[in-house]
Amino acid sequence: MPPILSSIIRDKIDPIDGASDAQLSAIDGIAKEFDLTVEKLSEIIKHFCNEMDKGLSKNGMTVPMIPSFVTGIPTGNEVGTFLALDLGGTNLRICEISFEGKGAIKIKQQKHKVTENLKAGPSHQLFDFIADCVDKFLSEYTEFVTVQPGVHDRKLKLGFTFSFPVEQTAINKGTLIKWTKGFTCPDAENKDVVFMLQEAMKRKNVPVIVTALVNDTVGTLLSHSYKDPNTLIGIIYGTGTNGAYFEDIPKIKKINFSDDSQKKMIVNIEWGAFDSEKKVLPLTMFDNKLDRESNNPHYQIFEKMISGMYLGEITRNILLHLIDRMLLFDGYSSKDLNRHYSFETEYLSTIEADETQTLDDTKKILEELLNIPSTTLIDRQIVKRACQMVGLRAARLSSASLAAILIHCDKVECGSSVGIDGSLFEFYPHFSARIKKALQELFGANADKIKISLARDGSGVGAALAAMLAAQK
Ligand code: ADP
Ligand code: MG
């Protein structure tokens, strides 16, 4: 076997000219911890495959493998207009989606930010807010809203994308298992999400009936299948991360599904929870600090190494570590940099994309947004290196879960399409290229048969498709 080069060396890394030996040795030490060799990736993949099997056979496993009860696969020929709601973690989106056949879709949408108060307050406040947003959307777009021909029920059908772990019992029923991504509304866990939403619609007199509940990964998978029937996997890299795929129903041993006419069901993996036991993931002290200080310690360990909510915070932990050793910013932090989650994941994107000779965009972020008194070019190069380590590791870990599903479904040889939604995937520089590179290291030429594409707004469109598939039954 050829020697395994470190993954950080394989990625394009700018030299840090003029750094001291102490700085270089500290950076190299951290880089080693963030490095993910193909051997380590293979070990993670093996464990991931085992965890998938466990989750399919029994309830309550670490990787829960949640049956979605979505069994239809869109043909692309479906037509009709439906509403969709997408509660992702950062934003609430309301869409009116018209399916026009042949894979064509028209969308109208409004977006609202979910405030920290709503994320932590009583759940009826959160759901009332959602109902108010739908009401506003309907009054501003009423002329576009049509009731399905031949359907006398005046209520509009709505698919709800709810991107938190839910124990689903039917296409329109599911109880929240546990909040993630910074949500904590104390009374919502163990309650039926559709019921809570429908009650809020009643309280606010909004003429909508919630006919389908889907996870955003399930939605993304459905919407991508509408355009590309060879789609096997739907993935989210946004505030959080997760994936869903088409599974053979007999392989979902933990359920008794009576409808013999159906062959496949979408399974929501909830992979953010993978390896919460910390058995194989290469956690650093920066990850452990983040986990300990989070509002869900010991949960969502995989997600905390990959997704948009956390990459900035891991980087901030590295920078503080270097500052405390007098190796960065001359030992000075700022009030802003000392604040939890002040180093946003968007900053990593800007810094990784900063190709100016003196790293001017990086300087702006550090000195103007985070109020570091002054930075040298060496400081800024070190910060860029820290961002590269965190971003590269996130992408390589992402390739591991994707690879595990392909192996589980025996699709490595023949290939598949993968639809991906979420701002991290859409905007983070090189994220997709780094995943592809890792897949090439793992699968060689077969990696070219894996078609990864952005499924923008997939989660919303998919909820409307699920509402449509449910209405057809
Ligand atoms: P949601 O998770 O609510 O569906 P998004 O898919 O938009 O929403 O993801 C939001 C997450 O994406 C946030 O955590 C944010 O930090 C991250 N994000 C947004 N813009 C960027 C960007 N330009 N680069 C990297 N991450 C980003
Ligand atoms: Mg989303």
Side-chain angles (χ1 to χ4, degrees):
M1 220 168 132
I4 309 292
L5 290 170
S6 100
S7 56
I8 214 96
I9 295 170
R10 273 183 258 108
D11 209 64
K12 181 182 156 279
I13 291 292
D14 306 321
I16 304 179
D17 299 322
S20 70
D21 287 348
Q23 284 173 317
L24 288 176
S25 112
I27 301 294
D28 282 352
I30 299 171
K32 267 198 199 106
E33 285 192 64
F34 276 80
D35 186 23
L36 261 180
T37 61
V38 78
E39 279 170 335
K40 183 69 191 171
L41 276 180
S42 305
E43 186 191 339
I44 295 170
I45 292 167
K46 197 169 159 212
H47 191 53
F48 200 103
C49 287
N50 287 338
E51 293 295 284
M52 284 178 78
D53 288 337
K54 270 197 211 163
L56 285 172
S57 56
K58 247 178 151 173
N59 284 324
M61 297 289 102
T62 303
V63 177
M65 306 295 285
I66 301 169
S68 66
F69 293 87
V70 176
T71 48
I73 300 177
T75 60
N77 296 321
E78 293 84 355
V79 290
T81 298
F82 291 81
L83 288 174
L85 257 182
D86 179 5
L87 183 66
T90 302
N91 298 306
L92 172 74
R93 286 189 311 145
I94 299 129
C95 317
E96 188 214 57
I97 295 159
S98 303
F99 298 99
E100 303 183 322
K102 296 193 177 143
I105 296 168
K106 257 201 196 131
I107 308 182
K108 296 190 171 68
Q109 62 167 309
Q110 261 179 0
K111 215 172 176 175
H112 302 264
K113 197 144 181 112
V114 183
T115 63
E116 295 306 316
N117 277 347
L118 287 169
K119 288 183 191 171
S123 58
H124 70 86
Q125 241 170 48
L126 174 68
F127 285 98
D128 280 357
F129 164 77
I130 298 176
D132 281 337
C133 293
V134 174
D135 196 28
K136 180 167 177 282
F137 179 83
L138 290 180
S139 47
E140 283 169 27
Y141 287 95
T142 20
E143 59 176 308
F144 303 112
V145 173
T146 52
V147 172
Q148 301 304 294
V151 176
H152 302 298
D153 181 355
R154 296 294 303 170
K155 284 188 173 168
L156 299 159
K157 293 198 167 71
L158 178 143
F160 184 24
T161 305
F162 182 75
S163 313
F164 301 90
V166 162
E167 180 84 55
Q168 197 134 3
T169 48
I171 184 66
N172 60 351
K173 259 198 188 72
T175 52
L176 172 64
I177 300 171
K178 186 156 181 50
W179 284 119
T180 55
K181 299 183 280 191
F183 277 66
T184 53
C185 304
D187 57 322
E189 288 178 1
N190 301 316
K191 288 206 185 126
D192 183 356
V193 184
V194 173
F195 181 78
M196 287 189 282
L197 178 61
Q198 193 68 67
E199 286 297 297
M201 296 292 184
K202 264 194 228 159
R203 282 197 293 276
K204 299 278 175 180
N205 282 320
V206 188
V208 156
I209 176 160
V210 186
T211 54
L213 172 70
V214 294
N215 186 264
D216 52 357
T217 54
V218 175
T220 299
L221 176 52
L222 279 173
S223 75
H224 205 258
S225 308
Y226 188 72
K227 289 184 199 149
D228 177 353
N230 193 34
T231 306
L232 174 71
I233 305 172
I235 298 181
I236 299 291
Y237 299 117
T239 313
T241 181
N242 186 16
Y245 69 107
F246 286 108
E247 180 60 284
D248 300 328
I249 292 174
K251 277 200 193 163
I252 315 174
K253 295 197 192 99
K254 63 184 174 185
I255 58 167
N256 268 324
F257 194 68
S258 47
D259 184 353
D260 286 341
S261 68
Q262 302 298 328
K263 300 267 173 295
K264 300 261 183 196
M265 183 186 287
I266 298 179
V267 169
N268 162 20
I269 299 176
E270 282 299 337
W271 74 35
F274 170 64
D275 200 27
S276 290
E277 301 83 0
K278 305 188 179 179
K279 275 190 192 151
V280 290
L281 290 173
L283 288 147
T284 65
M285 60 188 261
F286 312 106
D287 299 295
N288 287 325
K289 181 165 182 286
L290 179 149
D291 181 38
R292 191 176 309 118
E293 294 168 350
S294 69
N295 57 22
N296 56 347
H298 303 296
Y299 286 97
Q300 303 296 103
I301 297 299
F302 192 55
E303 176 163 89
K304 283 172 178 159
M305 299 174 90
I306 294 177
S307 74
M309 179 161 171
Y310 304 104
L311 297 188
E313 184 66 0
I314 302 170
T315 312
R316 195 184 71 94
N317 286 342
I318 299 177
L319 302 188
L320 291 179
H321 171 84
L322 292 170
I323 290 169
D324 289 346
R325 272 148 201 79
M326 307 294 288
L327 299 172
L328 188 67
F329 309 145
D330 218 8
Y332 287 99
S333 184
S334 68
K335 234 185 185 166
D336 294 283
L337 187 63
N338 287 344
R339 209 179 55 244
H340 281 149
Y341 292 90
S342 59
F343 199 94
E344 298 188 9
T345 301
E346 283 97 321
Y347 298 168
L348 271 84
S349 285
T350 308
I351 293 169
E352 281 227 50
D354 187 356
E355 295 294 340
T356 61
Q357 274 231 309
T358 45
L359 297 181
D360 299 336
D361 300 332
T362 308
K363 185 176 162 82
K364 256 189 213 142
I365 288 174
L366 296 172
E367 296 181 15
E368 291 173 27
L369 296 178
L370 291 165
N371 294 309
I372 306 290
S374 81
T375 65
T376 63
L377 179 56
I378 293 173
D379 285 332
R380 301 196 287 275
Q381 285 172 324
I382 291 175
V383 171
K384 185 169 181 183
R385 177 70 64 86
C387 295
Q388 285 169 331
M389 292 177 209
V390 173
L392 177 62
R393 187 188 66 170
R396 289 178 73 79
L397 281 174
S398 301
S399 76
S401 42
L402 208 170
I405 304 173
L406 291 164
I407 294 169
H408 173 89
C409 298
D410 199 14
K411 293 283 185 187
V412 175
E413 307 271 299
C414 62
S416 270
S417 298
V418 183
I420 306 184
D421 196 7
S423 294
L424 185 75
F425 183 76
E426 186 169 358
F427 301 118
Y428 200 105
H430 323 305
F431 202 83
S432 159
R434 285 169 173 174
I435 293 179
K436 279 184 199 144
K437 191 146 174 282
L439 290 174
Q440 275 159 5
E441 289 171 39
L442 289 162
F443 296 144
N446 280 332
D448 296 340
K449 298 179 203 152
I450 305 163
K451 259 180 59 192
I452 296 177
S453 19
L454 177 67
R456 196 188 278 118
D457 299 332
S459 44
V461 172
L465 265 171
M468 172 181 297
L469 293 172
Q472 283 173 352
K473 287 207 170 149

